[in-house]
Each structure stands twice: as structure tokens, then as C-alpha cells.
Amino acid sequence: MSSASGPSGATAPRPCSLTVVVPCYNERANVAPMVASLDAALAGIAWEVVFVDDDSPDGTSEAARAIAIADPRVRCIRRVGRRGLSSAVIEGALSSSADYIAVIDGDLQHDETRLPVMLKALQSGAELVIGSRHVAGGDSQGLSSPLREKLSITGIRIAQRLTGAEISDPMSGFFALPRPLFERLASRLTGQGFKIMLDLVLASPLPLKITEIPYRFRPRTAGTSKLDALVLAQFAGLLIDKALHRTVPLRFISFALVGAFGVIINILVLEIARRAGMNFAAAQTLGTVVAMIANFQLNNQLTYRAQRLKGNKVWTGLLLFLLVCSLGAIANIGIARALYAEGGHDILAGAAGAAISVVWNYAVSATLVWRVR
Ligand code: GDD
Ligand code: MN
């Protein structure tokens, strides 16, 4: 029997009341300062921190474990073969048994000294407490450029429209909520992209009791931001998903949009090759192959970002993808021909063939090329 948990144990550990979830990717230099800041900010509170690292090459996990060995309040989840801020937060939060969960960036840009105030708000009945840069006393000067600031404001407008909630900083990644609420919403989350807080708000069937707490967004001192064009595209995906009421899988939408883009590439290459004097069959074959390669690249970067193929696997993946899509094209032509022969309208017959080949390409490449579980 462990001495700490016995009935006579004067040293029985206090149940943890707050789990701080810290998503991190290449934040090694920030791990130790983060633990030290939490230790200072959360004095008197039973807390733990979970670093959720996506197998960062810089050794973020090792840095976290080195501290965890001596400090039981520190845990580390190392995810392999996966990427994504939102999904990392979900896994960290679901590993908690505390009363409350807080999510904070691992790069020290969020203000951990606000955590006790956020916890108080939850204890007084708030269902979601958001650290906001845009309420009186808040500040976003840590945004790295005027472009970032513009993007941020545009995103905020769209998100406010969509949620219908009066959230001044809907893009915030600094927030806290009761764990049971998170558990209830977990299965309804898309887990895509950067905007986990927004994902939670959208997942809730009933409006949440929200409190906003101002904070100053600090500039980054170590490491670099991971926000890029693809993250923005994923944000667009989250919005589309919401607009369609989750009837169509997000991955399919992305796959279909990439496919539509491929059609444009195909036509462009065909046109250029024809002008260069190539015969139609050769030009169309070239256009198709270029479009398929471009589609593979885009799907690998965007649709299947979380399962992205790297290194040598890219080549076998590309070959498989070309094979799958070629079969899809054969099915497309066969079905369209058959429908047309049955007296179908030519455009409808063509559209039916194309639709079936997109579904085929999607379903087969998901399992065969990217091996989605
Ligand atoms: N595990 C994991 N996996 N963590 C990640 C990943 C990932 O794929 N991508 C980013 N992170 C971690 C970073 O290491 C950092 O701790 C945190 O998530 C935020 O990422 P940054 O790259 O620093 O984001 P930012 O500063 O541009 O964006 C911030 O501002 C947004 C509002 O403008 C973040 O706070 C966002 O959450 C916030 O929405
Ligand atoms: Mn940051």
C-alpha cells in the first residue's frame, strides 16, 4: 500500500483541481520557463501540466520528461505520426482527471498569471473562460506583423457571425473550462486546425456561459510560430463544416476542392501543350498526369496533413495515388458512357461519372495511400 494513500496517511495528495494543457511543437527552449512560470502563478492551487508534443525534432518531449522525472505535476504526451494544435489539445484534455482544464500556448505568449482569475470565474459558474486580447485591459501587440493583425481581425468577424456568441476574441487559444463539459463536447469536435476554442463553442448544442478575462498577448522570445497558409485553409474548412452542419466529412470537402483545382490545372496544361503543337491525346494525357501529381501534393499537404507522407513514402504514395485515380478515371468514363448510351443527358451522364470517380478516389486513397484509421 502506498504511504500517501493510506487511511492514516497524513500526506494524502490533494486531488488535482486544474490541468493545464500545453500544445507544443518545437518549443524545447520554452518548456522549463513555462513550468517555472506556472509554478509561480499557481501557488496554492493543486495543478498539473500536460505538454502535448507532436514528436518535435528539437526534443521538446525530452525537455518535458527531464522535468517530469523530478516533478509529478508535470506530464508529457508524445504523439507520433500526427500533427495538429487542436487534436493535441483534445488528447491532453482527455488525459486529465482534474475538475478544470486550461489551455495555454507553450511559447509564453499567453499570460499564465491570469490563470487563477480564470479558475475563480469557473468556480463561480462560468462554463467557458476566455483569455481575450480585445476586452478592456487586453492587448494584442504580440502579433508579429500588420498582416497577422489584419488576418486576426477578419477571422474574428467571421467567427463572431458564425457562433452568434458575443466573444470579443473568438480566435483565442487561451481558455479554461470544466473537464466534464469538455468530455461531453469531445466527440463533437472536428479537431482540425488551430481553433480548438472556437471548435468547442460550435460543438456545444446550447449556448455556453462565457466569461472573458483580459490579458496581454506577449511577443514570442524563443522558437517560431507554426501558423501558415495551410492552417488558414484549415480554418476555412472548420467554417465550411459548420455551414454544412457536419453532413459532409471535412476531409471529403477538402479532397473535392483539391480535385476541382486539379481540373483547372488539367485544362491549363492541355491548353499550353496544344499551343505548343502537341496532339490532343498526348496533351490531355500530360494535363491529367500533371493534375494528378499536383492533387497528390495538395492532398498530402492539406487534406491529409495530419497523416502526411514524408521521405521515401512520398514516392510509393504518389504511385499508388496515380493508380487509384487512373482506375477512378476509367470508372468515370465507363459509367458516363453507359448512362449516355441509355439515353441519358450528356452533361448529367458526365457529372455522374465524375462524381462517382471522386468518391472512389477519396475512399480508396484514404485507406490505401494515407492509411486513415
Ligand atoms: N502539439 C502541437 N502540434 N502543438 C502545436 C502544433 C502542432 O501541430 N502547432 C502549433 N503548436 C503549438 C505551438 O508550439 C505553440 O505552443 C502553440 O501551439 C501556438 O502555436 P503558435 O505557432 O505559437 O501560434 P501563434 O502564436 O501564431 O497563434 C496564437 O494566436 C492565435 C490567435 O491569433 C495561438 O495562441 C493560437 O492558439 C491563437 O488562436
Ligand atoms: Mn505563438
Side-chain angles (χ1 to χ4, degrees):
M1 191 172 70
S2 106
S3 63
S5 61
S8 60
T11 53
R14 279 185 301 168
C16 179
S17 69
L18 177 69
T19 297
V20 182
V21 177
V22 184
C24 39
Y25 191 76
N26 285 344
E27 303 288 1
R28 192 173 63 128
N30 291 317
V31 171
M34 184 79 209
V35 175
S37 319
L38 289 174
D39 188 45
L42 295 172
I45 296 167
W47 61 277
E48 65 166 357
V49 60
V50 185
F51 290 95
V52 189
D53 169 52
D54 289 348
D55 208 13
S56 303
D58 78 342
T60 301
S61 293
E62 286 87 336
R65 284 192 202 295
I67 304 172
I69 288 171
D71 189 339
R73 298 172 304 180
V74 178
R75 292 196 284 127
C76 173
I77 297 177
R78 174 180 162 219
R79 308 197 305 166
V80 292
R82 272 174 305 158
R83 269 302 298 278
L85 176 51
S86 286
S87 63
V89 168
I90 294 171
E91 268 163 67
L94 291 181
S95 81
S96 159
S97 310
D99 298 332
Y100 300 102
I101 286 165
V103 178
I104 189 166
D105 282 355
D107 58 1
L108 309 168
Q109 288 199 272
H110 293 158
D111 183 357
E112 71 291 334
T113 65
R114 306 303 284 160
L115 284 170
V117 183
M118 294 166 83
L119 189 61
K120 278 248 164 58
L122 291 174
Q123 284 160 343
S124 322
E127 291 176 299
L128 177 63
V129 182
I130 304 171
S132 171
R133 296 163 288 183
H134 304 292
V135 285
D139 180 332
S140 62
Q141 46 168 271
L143 280 183
S144 42
S145 66
L147 178 69
R148 265 307 297 267
E149 214 153 328
K150 264 226 175 79
L151 276 175
S152 171
I153 291 168
T154 313
I156 288 171
R157 298 257 158 78
I158 300 172
Q160 282 172 337
R161 267 261 169 101
L162 202 70
T163 55
E166 300 261 316
I167 305 174
S168 69
D169 195 355
M171 318 297 272
S172 177
F174 182 32
F175 61 96
L177 75 173
R179 181 182 53 82
L181 175 62
F182 191 97
E183 302 240 353
R184 279 204 299 284
L185 298 178
S187 61
R188 308 170 65 109
L189 299 170
T190 69
Q192 297 278 321
F194 253 45
K195 301 299 154 200
I196 177 65
M197 196 274 287
L198 200 56
D199 206 356
L200 282 161
V201 173
L202 294 174
S204 176
L206 296 172
L208 298 169
K209 260 183 276 162
I210 298 174
T211 302
E212 293 192 275
I213 305 277
Y215 81 96
R216 289 173 165 269
F217 192 63
R218 303 174 189 138
R220 224 183 217 280
T221 49
T224 51
S225 170
K226 282 92 208 171
L227 189 129
D228 57 16
L230 293 175
V231 166
L232 295 177
Q234 283 181 320
F235 179 57
L238 184 71
L239 304 183
I240 295 172
D241 187 51
K242 178 63 183 173
L244 295 176
H245 300 284
R246 309 207 59 187
T247 43
V248 186
L250 211 51
R251 274 217 194 86
F252 180 76
I253 297 168
S254 170
F255 193 89
L257 287 178
V258 168
F261 184 67
V263 172
I264 297 172
I265 294 187
N266 188 335
I267 293 171
L268 278 177
V269 174
L270 170 68
E271 194 50 36
I272 293 167
R274 289 288 282 157
R275 286 198 189 166
M278 207 180 261
N279 73 48
F280 182 81
Q284 173 63 351
T285 308
L286 182 68
T288 309
V289 172
V290 172
M292 286 198 282
I293 293 173
N295 279 7
F296 172 78
Q297 267 301 332
L298 277 171
N299 280 319
N300 198 36
Q301 299 288 332
L302 189 60
T303 316
Y304 296 105
R305 186 169 212 212
Q307 289 93 354
R308 187 188 299 168
L309 302 174
K310 291 178 198 146
N312 279 334
K313 287 192 180 151
V314 171
W315 297 106
T316 42
L318 175 62
L319 281 178
L320 265 174
F321 185 79
L322 293 178
L323 192 72
V324 169
C325 293
S326 305
L327 290 176
I330 292 170
N332 176 349
I333 296 168
I335 288 160
R337 259 201 188 148
L339 287 175
Y340 185 64
E342 292 289 321
H345 188 281
D346 53 355
I347 292 179
L348 286 181
I356 286 171
S357 76
V358 172
V359 174
W360 155 272
N361 289 349
Y362 171 69
V364 181
S365 68
T367 40
L368 228 59
V369 181
W370 284 278
R371 299 179 195 278
V372 178
R373 278 145 300 194

